[in-house]
Amino acid sequence: MARSVAVPNRKTVEPAEDYGFFGPDSVTWRVWSYPTSLTVGFQRAVVVEELDPALVASVDETHAIWDRPRTRYDRTLRYFALVAFGDSRATSKAADVLVKVHSKAVGIEPLSGGQYDANDPRSQLWIHLTAWHSILYAYERYGPGKLSEQDELRYWQECAVAAELQTCAGEHIPRNRAEVRQYFEEMRPQLVGSQVAKDTMNHLLQADVMLPTLPAVFRPATKAMAFALRKATVATMPRWMRELGGIRQSRAMDALVRPLARITFALTHLNREAELRLLGVLSPSTVSVVAPVLLGVPPRNPEVLTPAQARERYGYTEPATAHLELRARQAERALAGKRRSEEGIRESESILGSTA
């Protein structure tokens, strides 16, 4: 049986320490708190990012999404939720430990023979932008609709703030729609629909592999939810991307799923506790991060920090230069064919959730 998560209410939820890096007036909170975001948006992100040969090589080497897909999904979703909604202390700690976790993901990409490194700024920017772009796209397609020009500009500027929590190079971070489009156009020739990428993308589109084991009576509903989520996610992907991933879906299905998804998400959004129950099924460890935002519980200290201010306050190093000795040791061991250290993995469990 799956671990059950008690859904908090306004009286029982634990308030955050502060507003983190955005807060209630941000476009990030408006977009990311809509139920399209941590469902279709997030699934789209983890599927699309597998087209990057370096990333899919790293994912395939660990085999985590095949051996324990629910755990991997839960931990990754919790991290992105922390960036959007978490308080500055918890999120800064998560960002720092993630550099240690990623230090293990170093190796040789089989198609090019080049080295991949999960902490590489280019890899981190690809992961970051596919997530923020997918979240916004799902919100626009199945949620309230397109943002105003001014709000979209604010969204991408907030995306650039969030990128400071990863090893992304500041000068390469897009800050408006035109720059985001240019980034994806430049990335497109580098994307590859290898067999590993196709297998991984199709595996991640099976939402039921992310769901807990439920009693037999609930399994038909689980299958139906997973089927609907897959169809809604595929409908957001351009044709060229589907062809690379070996994914088939008719234009008729694309058209049919849109109004059904919009109605479903709108009804879900009417009840914030229902949203939390859904999230508790998809990602139990993320509930405590999102609950104060969805339930309107103010933090103990109503302030918004920048990532640089938080690092100074809590004593963390900028991600790009954090844990360089560990990263060098891990790379040396990986390239010599030796087992890499588990340093950071166990430490991350208290922050991002269990790896079991």
Side-chain angles (χ1 to χ4, degrees), residues 42 70 136 148 174 315 346 354:
F42 189 72
R70 178 163 167 75
L136 178 58
S148 68
R346 297 300 170 220
S354 172

Side-chain angles (χ1 to χ4, degrees), residues 88-158:
S88 61
R89 186 190 303 271
T91 307
S92 297
K93 186 174 183 181
D96 184 72
V97 80
L98 198 61
V99 175
K100 292 184 181 180
V101 172
H102 284 157
S103 72
K104 186 179 179 182
V106 179
I108 301 299
E109 193 275 299
L111 293 178
S112 67
Q115 182 179 330
Y116 66 81
D117 180 347
N119 276 317
D120 183 278
R122 292 166 298 181
S123 292
Q124 286 290 294
L125 185 58
W126 168 248
I127 293 169
H128 181 71
L129 285 179
T130 52
W132 281 71
H133 176 264
S134 294
I135 295 291
L136 178 58
Y137 193 85
Y139 176 87
E140 292 181 336
R141 186 176 181 88
Y142 301 130
K146 287 188 175 296
L147 298 175
S148 68
E149 185 176 342
Q150 182 179 7
D151 282 346
E152 185 177 350
L153 179 60
R154 286 178 58 203
Y155 181 82
W156 291 119
Q157 289 171 341
E158 289 167 7

